[in-house]
Each structure stands twice: as structure tokens, then as C-alpha cells.
Amino acid sequence: MARSNIIRWKVKNPFDPSRGLIRMSWNKYNLYALATRIRPEDLTRKSVYQQKWTAKRELRAYHVPNITERQLTQRHWSVKLPLQQLTQDEKDRLPPVQALAFAETERRLDVVVFRSHFASSLWMARASVVQGHVMVNGEKCDLPARRLEDGDLVTVSPSVVPTLKPATDAASPSDFAAVPYQAPWMFLPAYLEVDYATCSTVFLRSPLPQPDQVEVPSPFPPEWHQLAYEWYSGIVKKKEGIRSNFELKPKPVVEGMAIKMKQKFAEIRERDVKTDREKKSVAKRERERKKSEKEEAAAA
């Protein structure tokens, strides 16, 4: 049974022709948007900010349209990109490593279900997980955002797989039935091992940089991923900087002015402040103890 605290997040009219955004879906309108966007938009006529924002909008609409940007930056975004030991010749033929900006989102359970062709869209994959039709390592999992580890086995109930036609005989296996407009999306990433006979897939590893190819499936060029990486990494670094500033200890104030002390005197002051804090804590506990004793005596 689905958990009550799961947020139901769905884009309103995700195939709006006026926006023309490409989604993870076999929908015919999504295929039309893909067909009319064979040549990516020329970003050179825009400012740097406009280039980053446009790339961010397009890539987020494709990779993570079912979660908020806060969830993306807090759960699935890493400033450090996956690396791999390569020869110099392979490095020369390597696309921009920022093309793996959304590599972490490929570990999401709902994304793996869609990549394995067990759902016709990312939203259908999410619904299948929430409704309890998906198991991870033999245990039912209703968390679409679950992060899969290397070697995890994902199994989907055949009743919700759109490409399976119910068998006429209970003893015979289900037959494969092609779904209209699915052809452009029927490819398997190298980091998944899919078995259609058992409706299961194994997540092998994270996408890695490879010569002359990008392992993260995307209809957009690596340069767009690089721009989106710069956009979100700036946000993450800014948040981390704000968080670290709150953790800084305040400078000592003498006669209304903040001063910077030498290391030796700073350590002495810090030790004195810690001792004073401990004394106040002990005195507070003693007062509370005496107060409770008086209340017990009055009650007796």
C-alpha cells in the first residue's frame, strides 16, 4: 500500500505544444516535440545567463520533471562528477564530463523503471512504484526516489508493463506487443541489464565518461548539459557557502569592535568560554533538581 506522506507531483499538461518541451514519455505529442527539435536551439545569440537558464529548463523538463528543484539539488545533485581512468588518446576523444551532470538521477527507481521500458512515461513509472507494483531485491518498494546501489535487482509486475499482451492461456507466457510511438525511446543504457522474460533489471553502475559517447541518454547535446551543470552547481555551492558561514564562530568583541586574535590567545579564550558554558549548564541542572525536590516535598 502506498505511503500517505509521498508527495504526488505531476506537471500540468506536460505536452503543451506552446512550450514544446521533450519528456521521458512515449506520448505522440512528445514524439512531435522531439521531431520538431531535431536541431537544438542556437544559444550563441543569448547572454550567458540566458544560455544557462534555457539549458536548465530543457534538461530539467526531460530528466526530472516529477520533482521540485529543491529536491533535485538536495538529493540528486553532486558537484563532483564520476571519473574513470582512461588513456590520453581516450581522453582526447572524451565529451565534456559535464554531460554526466544528471548521472545521479539515473539511480532513481522510477527512472530505472522507465529506462527498462517497463513504463510508457516517467509518471507511469512513478505510479507503478507508488502503487506497489515494483520490488527491489525481492522486497516491495513504494518510494520512487529510492537511490539504487550497484547490483540492485528491480522487478516489475507484468500486469503494469504496457508492452506485454496478456496471454490467452494461463500456462503460456505473455507476448510482446509494440506500443505506438515508442520506437525513438527503445534503447538500453550500458549501465542496465534488462531481462524482459522476467520483467526485471539490474542496475550495474553509475554512468561513466566514455570516448566518443555520452552514457546518460538525452536528446540534447553535451554542451547543454555543461550549461545546466554550471547553473545548478552555482546554486549548490552558494547554499553550501551560506551553511558554512552559519557554522563560523563569532569573532570576540572588545569595546564594540570585532577583533582578530592570535592563535594562542584565541585558544585560551575558546577554552574559557567553554568552561563558562559548562558551569552555567551545571548550575541550571542544580536549580532544576532543587525545584523538583521542593515540588515533591510539597506534594508529600
Side-chain angles (χ1 to χ4, degrees), residues 192-213:
L192 295 181
E193 185 70 31
V194 181
D195 184 3
Y196 294 107
T198 59
C199 294
S200 61
T201 180
V202 178
F203 187 88
L204 302 177
R205 55 174 174 79
S206 290
L208 294 174
Q210 301 289 353
D212 301 324
Q213 63 173 315

Side-chain angles (χ1 to χ4, degrees), residues 121-133:
S121 68
L122 193 60
W123 293 281
M124 180 182 175
R126 181 184 180 90
S128 299
V129 175
V130 172
Q131 294 169 8
H133 298 293

Side-chain angles (χ1 to χ4, degrees), residues 47 77 88 135 187 227 233 247 261 269 274 293 295:
S47 65
W77 193 265
Q88 186 60 44
M135 293 192 298
F187 55 87
L227 292 170
S233 296
E247 296 173 356
M261 304 177 68
R269 179 181 178 276
K274 183 178 179 181
E293 289 179 352
E295 292 177 353

Side-chain angles (χ1 to χ4, degrees), residues 89-109:
D89 178 62
E90 291 175 333
K91 290 180 180 179
D92 294 339
R93 296 185 289 112
L94 198 68
V97 70
Q98 289 83 358
L100 298 176
F102 289 89
E104 189 65 21
T105 63
E106 296 296 311
R107 285 185 175 269
R108 284 179 57 98
L109 180 57

